[in-house]
Amino acid sequence: MWRADILTLYPEMFPGPLGASLSGDALARGLWSLTTHQIRDHGRGRHRAVDDTPAGGGPGMVIRADVLGEALDAVSVADDPRPRLYMSPRGRRLDQGFVRELAGGPGAVMLCGRFEGIDERVIAGRDLIEVSIGDYVLSGGELAAMVMLDACVRLLPGVMGASASGEEESFESGLLEYPHYTRPREWEGRAIPDILLSGDHGAIARWRREQALRVTRERRPDLRAASDDQPE
Ligand code: ADE
């Protein structure tokens, strides 16, 4: 089973959206597991303090290294084969390739930060891989962890019913997806492209590939496949 352990100050945020739909069904069917851990359980003193003022001064608060080290050690022992991820806007940007890599492994231990950040020493001291879900700043790592988990879980064996539906979608081919249509045949004066109703599967496949290339070139010329693969 693909196992996710989450360290957070807000365990009540989970499973959240992961408890519904595809990921929720997969969770109920035992295809993956989600366990949350309250970082504050390792807090210091009567108030279970987890953070302190930054060394050198400046705004905000920083989560303590000793608290996080202990919290991580309680979840993940030295021979745990799972990567330990720290959700952070400074991290390696999550993309479909990275998602595939993670989904193909045994799971993940995910640390969600709050405040200004965490003590830098924990990152090296516990081999944390920093992961960002995009170039914007969230108020904490929890939503980023959910995004990452959603993307991973749908790739696990048995999760997507018609597994073929994953292969042609955006990014799996390096291209954005071709446009989709369904009934009615005409809607508000807009018709379904004739070729899709022709029954010529070869022609339909070629049309879809051309459309995927066009959409990708127009919207995301930075995606490599858009420039690599010019149509005849
Ligand atoms: N925490 C705050 N912002 C984040 C981001 N963009 N990605 C991952 N974790 C975050």
Side-chain angles (χ1 to χ4, degrees):
M1 192 203 300
W2 199 89
R3 291 192 306 127
D5 280 273
I6 315 281
L7 291 91
T8 170
L9 289 164
Y10 298 94
E12 66 274 19
M13 289 177 76
F14 293 86
L18 299 174
S21 191
L22 198 75
S23 55
D25 293 343
L27 197 54
R29 286 161 58 212
L31 297 176
W32 68 294
S33 73
L34 176 65
T35 312
T36 54
H37 306 269
Q38 172 57 273
I39 295 168
R40 197 170 294 285
D41 291 348
H42 303 276
R44 297 300 190 247
R46 200 158 56 83
H47 297 290
R48 298 225 164 273
V50 296
D51 57 342
D52 212 325
T53 53
M61 297 290 271
V62 177
I63 310 187
R64 294 170 58 117
D66 52 355
V67 170
L68 286 177
E70 207 180 286
L72 281 160
D73 293 345
V75 170
S76 177
V77 289
D79 65 349
D80 189 337
R82 296 173 297 170
R84 286 185 283 273
L85 312 176
Y86 167 45
M87 307 313 294
S88 149
R90 295 197 323 181
R92 167 178 174 186
R93 183 102 67 88
L94 189 66
D95 60 17
Q96 194 65 18
F98 194 7
V99 167
R100 237 181 274 125
E101 210 178 287
L102 289 167
V109 175
M110 298 160 70
L111 172 61
C112 303
R114 286 267 154 178
F115 317 118
E116 278 317 297
I118 68 175
D119 190 302
E120 185 76 14
R121 293 170 290 182
V122 184
I123 296 171
R126 290 295 180 277
D127 294 322
L128 302 185
I129 302 164
E130 290 184 78
V131 180
S132 167
I133 64 160
D135 293 341
Y136 42 82
V137 181
L138 302 168
S139 47
E142 287 81 6
L143 285 171
M146 290 181 205
V147 165
M148 214 212 71
L149 284 171
D150 181 275
C152 288
V153 165
R154 58 191 291 285
L155 299 184
L156 299 178
V159 172
M160 268 194 289
S163 65
S165 73
E167 283 160 25
E168 292 200 359
E169 70 193 3
S170 293
F171 305 115
E172 284 298 342
S173 60
L175 295 172
L176 300 180
E177 233 178 323
Y178 55 78
H180 302 286
Y181 299 88
T182 186
R183 280 184 277 275
R185 190 167 177 149
E186 194 172 309
W187 176 73
E188 297 187 351
R190 297 164 197 269
I192 295 176
D194 285 334
I195 187 123
L196 296 177
L197 307 170
S198 69
D200 183 340
H201 299 297
I204 291 170
R206 282 191 297 280
W207 181 85
R208 284 177 168 165
R209 172 122 194 114
E210 284 159 22
Q211 292 293 312
L213 279 162
R214 175 185 61 77
V215 171
T216 308
R217 249 190 251 108
E218 284 172 8
R219 301 181 188 181
R220 294 293 305 279
D222 57 302
L223 292 178
R224 234 169 71 83
S227 48
D228 281 3
D229 192 339
Q230 303 291 337
E232 307 81 68

